[in-house]
């Protein structure tokens, strides 16, 4: 890039020198009435795109000097007309030089402002990425803590229940790997990288997410219903990212039901089906407190939330993930009370689920 710029400046300098020499000769050999010196203005404007303010100032001084010298060397025409044309040319050169320098100063200021905006954008992106990672790894970290406490209880039994302790350790390892995968996927998402698509069974992915949250469901006495269509074709998408979406929607449903203590009916339902257009439609409904119409308009906006302790990133990240995987997500009111979230993904019909 620097080499190309230097080449342009050298070539431009040679061209400017040739043009200035041609203008000087033409201005000298022609009649006083022909003001060739005004063409120096075009030279100065061209120079503003290649050189610094100092260089343009020196070129302006050189153009003024050549104009004056040319006036004294010219012998043809009326002297008074030549004097007037020379004065007009000098004024035009001076004004062009000042305007060119102001344009260069404005351009430099714009470049500085753009650089600052880019820096601010990078800082903002880093902040959003950090907040996103903190939000999304909260669930696997919480699951690790719960499994660790369970493992400790099984080991404190007399005699220790080694089988259940082993299962708890396996869950800890799985959740730690899931947290690592989540961080990797979010970093890739913020850098605009394409999802790591693979064919997978959406029903199985839902079952795995439910297993991760089984302790929370049991602790809050929430029943879970799985209405999953059989023999679904496999979906081509990023499995880890889609499970992030499923996990976030499930956590939101649990939180909504937990805050709706007045409703004794505590249920969450997952559904899968192929819609009329041949795409995979996944839904999750809950009997929680639901949301307002205002929330329906803004809930997928970043940093917008009705939760007192929320940061407003989960659903925004979910929408970004769905769009990156060629899908779409939306929310609606559940007729019986509560909320319904749905997302749609294109299907690969050439591969049937086992």
């Amino acid at each position: 890039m620097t080499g190309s710029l230097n080449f342009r400046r050298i070539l431009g300098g040679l061209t400017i020198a040739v043009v200035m020499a041609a203008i000087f000769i033409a201005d000298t050999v022609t009649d006083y009435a022909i003001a060739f010196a005004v063409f120096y203005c075009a030279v100065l404007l061209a120079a503003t795109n290649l050189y610094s303010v100092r260089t343009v100032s020196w070129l302006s001084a050189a153009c003024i000097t050549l104009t004056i010298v040319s006036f004294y060397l010219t012998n043809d025409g009326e002297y008074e007309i030549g004097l007037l044309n020379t004065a007009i040319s000098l004024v035009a050169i001076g004004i062009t030089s000042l305007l060119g320098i102001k344009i260069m100063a404005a351009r430099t200021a714009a470049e500085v402002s753009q650089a600052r905006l880019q820096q601010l954008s990078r800082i903002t992106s880093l902040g959003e990425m950090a907040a996103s990672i903190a939000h999304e790894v909260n669930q696997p970290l919480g699951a690790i803590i719960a499994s660790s406490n369970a493992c400790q209880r099984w080991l404190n039994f007399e005699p220790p229940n080694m089988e259940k302790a082993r299962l708890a350790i396996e869950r800890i390892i799985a959740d730690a790997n899931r947290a690592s995968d989540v961080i990797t996927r979010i970093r890739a998402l913020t850098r605009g990288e394409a999802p790591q698509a693979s064919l997978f069974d959406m029903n199985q992915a839902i079952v795995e997410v439910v297993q991760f949250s089984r302790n929370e469901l049991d602790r809050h006495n929430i029943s879970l219903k799985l209405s999953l269509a059989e023999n679904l074709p496999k979906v081509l998408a990023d499995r880890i990212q889609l499970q992030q979406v499923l996990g976030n929607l499930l956590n939101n449903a649990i939180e909504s039901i937990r805050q709706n203590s007045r409703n004794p009916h505590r249920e969450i339902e997952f559904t899968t089906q192929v819609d009329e257009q041949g795409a995979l439609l996944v839904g999750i409904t809950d009997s929680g407190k639901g949301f307002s119409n205002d929330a329906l308009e803004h809930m997928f906006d970043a940093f917008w939330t009705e939760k007192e302790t929320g940061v407003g990133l989960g659903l925004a990240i979910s929408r970004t993930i769905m769009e990156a995987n060629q899908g779409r997500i939306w929310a609606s009111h559940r007729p019986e009370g509560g909320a319904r979230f749905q997302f749609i993904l294109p299907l690969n019909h050439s591969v049937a689920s086992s």
Side-chain angles (χ1 to χ4, degrees):
M1 183 70 179
T2 303
S4 176
L5 181 59
N6 289 334
F7 176 76
R8 286 178 55 200
R9 286 177 175 174
I10 293 172
L11 182 61
L14 293 174
T15 304
I16 286 173
V18 171
V19 172
M20 288 179 65
I23 294 172
F24 175 76
I25 294 171
D27 194 34
T28 302
V29 300
T30 56
D31 191 273
Y32 276 130
I34 302 175
F36 265 102
V38 294
F39 288 105
Y40 287 126
C41 297
V43 173
L44 292 173
L45 289 175
T48 58
N49 293 320
L50 293 173
Y51 302 109
S52 64
V53 171
R54 185 174 182 179
T55 302
V56 172
S57 299
W58 280 109
L59 277 176
S60 176
C63 292
I64 291 172
T65 301
L66 291 175
T67 301
I68 295 172
V69 171
S70 177
F71 171 75
Y72 283 109
L73 293 179
T74 301
N75 296 318
D76 298 330
E78 296 184 14
Y79 182 82
E80 291 78 6
I81 294 177
L83 185 63
L84 179 61
N85 283 344
T86 300
I88 292 173
S89 297
L90 291 174
V91 171
I93 292 170
I95 292 174
T96 302
S97 177
L98 290 174
L99 289 176
I101 290 173
K102 286 187 176 181
I103 290 172
M104 294 172 69
R107 187 186 301 148
T108 301
E111 290 173 354
V112 170
S113 298
Q114 186 178 11
R116 288 177 178 173
L117 285 174
Q118 289 176 348
Q119 183 181 21
L120 181 61
S121 177
R122 286 194 295 268
I123 292 172
T124 303
S125 297
L126 287 173
E128 290 179 354
M129 183 177 71
S132 300
I133 291 174
H135 180 276
E136 293 300 311
V137 300
N138 185 58
Q139 183 196 8
L141 290 180
I144 289 172
I145 293 172
S147 297
S148 299
N149 291 334
C151 181
Q152 190 175 38
R153 288 196 301 271
W154 298 128
L155 291 175
N156 287 335
F157 276 23
E158 291 294 342
N161 191 327
M162 301 304 295
E163 178 60 23
K164 291 190 176 181
R166 183 184 62 80
L167 293 175
I169 292 174
E170 289 179 356
R171 288 196 300 270
I172 292 172
I173 295 173
D175 285 322
N177 290 330
R178 188 159 64 103
S180 177
D181 288 337
V182 165
I183 293 172
T184 300
R185 293 299 200 276
I186 290 178
R187 290 179 63 188
L189 201 63
T190 56
R191 290 195 297 263
E193 296 180 5
Q196 298 180 21
S198 62
L199 287 168
F200 68 91
D201 184 346
M202 179 60 74
N203 288 347
Q204 183 60 35
I206 291 173
V207 171
E208 291 176 2
V209 169
V210 169
Q211 290 174 348
F212 289 137
S213 301
R214 178 56 64 183
N215 289 337
E216 282 292 301
L217 292 167
D218 293 341
R219 186 168 63 177
H220 297 294
N221 196 27
I222 299 173
S223 63
L224 182 73
K225 183 179 180 182
L226 298 179
S227 301
L228 308 179
E230 296 182 356
N231 300 319
L232 279 180
K234 291 187 177 180
V235 64
L236 181 63
D238 191 312
R239 183 189 184 103
I240 300 299
Q241 289 185 354
L242 265 295
Q243 286 188 317
Q244 280 180 246
V245 174
L246 292 167
N248 185 63
L249 296 178
L250 181 55
N251 286 338
N252 287 347
I254 293 172
E255 179 70 13
S256 180
I257 291 175
R258 190 180 64 82
Q259 294 177 357
N260 189 28
S261 56
R262 293 177 298 178
N263 187 355
H265 184 63
R266 305 165 72 83
E267 183 182 75
I268 296 173
E269 181 181 12
F270 272 105
T271 60
T272 58
Q273 66 182 83
V274 177
D275 71 357
E276 296 176 354
Q277 286 73 40
L280 173 63
L281 179 63
V282 178
I284 176 171
T285 58
D286 65 71
S287 58
K289 67 174 186 177
F291 43 78
S292 64
N293 290 327
D294 183 58
L296 189 60
E297 296 179 5
H298 300 284
M299 64 172 52
F300 291 100
D301 295 342
F303 302 108
W304 192 96
T305 181
E306 286 188 326
K307 298 179 183 178
E308 295 181 359
T309 58
V311 295
L313 279 172
L315 291 176
I317 294 171
S318 296
R319 182 176 64 177
T320 301
I321 288 175
M322 295 308 306
E323 291 174 352
N325 286 274
Q326 313 304 316
R328 184 169 60 90
I329 187 171
W330 68 94
S332 59
H333 298 290
R334 182 171 177 259
E336 303 89 342
R340 173 185 288 116
F341 285 86
Q342 294 172 285
F343 64 79
I344 194 168
L345 282 167
L347 277 172
N348 189 311
H349 293 278
S350 63
V351 183
S353 61
S354 57

